Each structure stands twice: as C-alpha cells, then as structure tokens.
Amino acid sequence: MTDSRYLKRTILKDEVESRLLGETRTLRIYLPPGYNEILSYPVVYCQDGEEFFNFGRIATHANRLILDEGVEPFIIVGVEVNTKIRTQEYAPFGNRFAAYTACFAEEIIPYVEQKYPIRKDAASRILAGDSLGGSVSLHLALLYPELFNRIISLSGAYYEASQEIIAREKELSHLRVWMTVGLQEDAFESDTGIYNFVELNRQCADLLRERNAEVSYREKDGKHLWGFWQNELPDALMYFLDHA
C-alpha cells in the first residue's frame, strides 16, 4: 500500500477537556479526501486511537477505500488512552469504566459533532476497538443505544463480566456487530490472566445472536496483534460504510 495517494492524509489533533475524567483527552481526527464542511459524513470512533492510526494504518486504509473502492467519504476519530490505566477505563470491572464511558458519550461525541460535519444518527456512528477496546465499544452501545448500534470488534476481550452484562439484555435487534478473532489467540496472556479469546468471542457472538443482534463473525489464522487486525480493517469498514 505504497501509492502516494493513500499516504497523503489530513490528520488533526484535538484535545477535549473532560470534567468526568478530570483530565484532557487527545483525539486524532482523519478528514477524507475532498473534505468539505458543507457536506455531512459518517464517522468511525476508534478506541486506542493512537494504535489504530500507527499500527492499524486506518487512515491509509480509508484513503484507499474512498479513492479506489467507491466507499462514501467518512471521518475517523481516534480516542487516545493512557495504556497504564487502559484496563481501568475499558473493562466493566475497572474503576474508571463508568467515567470513561460517560465521557465518551456525553463529552467526546458532542465535542466532535459540534466541530465537524458529522451525521447525528446512530447508524452513521461506528465504534471500533481491539481486545478490551472491542468490548468497551460494545458496552457503549449497550449503555447508550440511542447513540450507537454499529460495532467493529477486533478480538474483543469478552471476559465473564462483559458476558454477564450482555446476558442481562433481552432484545438487541437494533445492534449490528462485525467480529473477528485469530485462531492462535486460544491462550493469550493479558494483565488480568490467560484467556482463550477464540472461545470468548464465540460465546459473545452466541449471546448477541440469541438476543437478535445482527452478527458478522469470522475466525482466521492470526495472533492477538496488529499484524492480524490491520489486514481485517478494510473488510470491517466496508461492512458498515456505503459503497458502489
């Protein structure tokens, strides 16, 4: 993917003052080719925003999809995270989870939608995340169904606490979830233990389908690494974004 058209990108850095988190949160904003403030755009919000741009190459993927595949131009917002407290913010048992999810929905979304010409309907907002970023994206959709119903989950960390929350839901027919997991993720060591991510993702997909969510699920050769997820991103984006 060395075509210079793909590498010429407009990426801005914004900062949001969060009262709920008591700190400033950095956002990376990708604006598509031909960006025009009088138009309106769908948006992809990424957890682990720095990694989605640096390791997932999401801006380069976006340029190629828009320029070559006829995908409707879209904006990307990468929400950065301090990796030292990532689990506390992304895991439902974390002590910053409530504040982070509230900040995302009640501070980050209004800030972005006031500054950029983004469509304000749930079908035009896509949440994307890897590992715990995938699971917190799903939790955001459960907590704020009026805001979010499109999820890209790259090897989501659907630990027992997350599955218990999903199991309490009765009806999720409004939800669309694109999921992938690597077959070599069957004994992944995280900061909270060793987990079989393949089995966790199978269980999560079953829970969602039982509640009438639309689930597009795949298992492929791959490890719990960006080398795997980077190659999955184009299909995930095209699943939700209109194209010719």
Side-chain angles (χ1 to χ4, degrees), residues 21 27 39 79 88-89 95 106 128 140 151 177 183 185 242:
L21 288 173
L27 310 178
L39 301 177
V79 182
Q88 296 173 37
E89 292 189 349
N95 59 15
E106 300 170 26
L140 277 163
I151 308 296
V177 187
L183 290 168
E185 298 184 60
D242 290 335

Side-chain angles (χ1 to χ4, degrees), residues 12-16 25-29 111 115-116:
L12 311 174
K13 274 198 174 183
D14 285 10
E15 290 188 340
V16 177
R25 187 56 55 108
T26 301
L27 310 178
R28 295 188 184 207
I29 315 289
Y111 169 87
K115 186 169 181 181
Y116 299 96

Side-chain angles (χ1 to χ4, degrees), residues 32 49 107 200:
E107 295 178 325
L200 291 177

Side-chain angles (χ1 to χ4, degrees), residues 4-5 43 45 65 73 93 95 125 159 169 179 183 187 191:
S4 61
R5 296 177 306 135
V43 59
Y45 289 95
L65 292 174
F93 48 78
N95 59 15
R125 300 185 192 103
Y159 301 146
E169 298 287 333
M179 302 175 68
L183 290 168
D191 58 352

Side-chain angles (χ1 to χ4, degrees), residues 154 178 180 218 220 228-237:
L154 307 169
W178 188 99
T180 191
R218 68 226 5 96
K220 295 184 176 180
F228 170 50
W229 300 325
Q230 179 192 122
N231 293 326
E232 296 295 288
L233 268 177
D235 285 347
L237 293 167

Side-chain angles (χ1 to χ4, degrees), residues 4-213:
S4 61
R5 296 177 306 135
Y6 306 151
L7 301 177
K8 186 178 180 181
R9 294 137 334 160
T10 301
I11 301 174
L12 311 174
K13 274 198 174 183
D14 285 10
E15 290 188 340
V16 177
E17 293 291 338
S18 172
R19 175 186 57 80
L20 292 162
L21 288 173
E23 64 181 38
T24 301
R25 187 56 55 108
T26 301
L27 310 178
R28 295 188 184 207
I29 315 289
Y30 159 89
L31 302 178
Y35 174 75
N36 188 328
E37 290 185 351
I38 68 171
L39 301 177
S40 65
Y41 297 90
V43 59
V44 179
Y45 289 95
C46 303
Q47 318 294 338
D48 294 294
E50 184 176 6
E51 293 197 349
F52 261 85
F53 279 90
N54 291 346
F55 304 136
R57 301 182 69 192
I58 191 169
T60 306
H61 283 311
N63 269 12
R64 185 185 68 79
L65 292 174
I66 293 165
L67 294 171
D68 290 356
E69 302 294 337
V71 168
E72 180 184 16
F74 59 99
I75 289 172
I76 302 168
V77 178
V79 182
E80 297 192 6
V81 66
N82 179 346
T83 56
K84 294 178 180 178
I85 55 173
R86 179 176 180 269
T87 298
Q88 296 173 37
E89 292 189 349
Y90 286 4
F93 48 78
N95 59 15
R96 290 170 61 91
F97 175 81
Y100 175 73
T101 50
C103 165
F104 199 102
E106 300 170 26
E107 295 178 325
I108 292 173
I109 298 297
Y111 169 87
V112 172
E113 293 187 350
Q114 182 178 22
K115 186 169 181 181
Y116 299 96
I118 288 170
R119 294 175 199 154
K120 297 176 173 61
D121 60 290
S124 297
R125 300 185 192 103
I126 301 163
L127 297 176
D130 65 283
S131 195
L132 275 171
S135 58
V136 77
S137 295
L138 180 55
H139 285 299
L140 277 163
L142 299 181
L143 288 165
Y144 298 92
E146 72 283 2
L147 294 180
F148 311 112
N149 57 31
R150 305 285 191 267
I151 308 296
I152 292 173
S153 171
L154 307 169
S155 306
Y158 298 108
Y159 301 146
E160 183 178 357
S162 290
Q163 296 200 25
E164 289 175 354
I165 291 169
I166 298 167
R168 290 199 290 268
E169 298 287 333
K170 292 183 172 59
E171 174 59 39
L172 294 173
S173 58
H174 64 285
L175 196 61
R176 295 180 65 196
V177 187
W178 188 99
M179 302 175 68
T180 191
V181 66
L183 290 168
Q184 285 71 52
E185 298 184 60
D186 55 347
F188 178 74
E189 185 173 353
S190 77
D191 58 352
T192 58
I194 298 175
Y195 299 94
N196 183 338
F197 270 70
V198 180
E199 190 57 36
L200 291 177
N201 276 265
R202 287 174 184 167
Q203 292 167 353
C204 178
D206 287 343
L207 285 168
L208 292 170
R209 287 182 179 128
E210 288 166 5
R211 285 149 185 81
N212 300 313

